[in-house]
Amino acid sequence: MPQMAPLYWLYLFCFFLITLFMFLVLNYFLTPYSKMTLTPLKLYNNYKNWKL
C-alpha cells in the first residue's frame, strides 16, 4: 500500500536515530583505546637491544 510508505521511512529514521544514539553513548562510556595505550609501551621496554 503506498499510504504506508511515509510510515515505513519514519520507522527506519527512528531506528537509525536510536542506533546512532546507542552507538554514541557506548563510545562515550566505553573507552578501550585509553586502556590499551600503556601496554605496548611496557612490552616494548622489556625487549633487550641485541648487538651483533
Side-chain angles (χ1 to χ4, degrees):
M1 295 189 311
Q3 295 89 354
M4 296 299 291
L7 290 176
Y8 174 73
W9 292 112
L10 180 67
Y11 293 148
L12 282 178
F13 182 66
C14 290
F15 177 72
F16 171 74
L17 288 180
I18 290 170
T19 53
L20 179 67
F21 178 72
M22 288 181 64
F23 175 74
L24 293 175
V25 166
L26 288 176
N27 280 333
Y28 179 77
F29 287 113
L30 300 176
T31 56
Y33 293 110
S34 64
K35 295 177 184 176
M36 292 173 57
T37 53
L38 296 177
T39 53
L41 294 175
K42 289 180 183 177
L43 292 175
Y44 182 72
N45 291 334
N46 290 335
Y47 291 123
K48 295 180 180 178
N49 291 329
W50 295 98
K51 295 182 179 179
L52 294 177

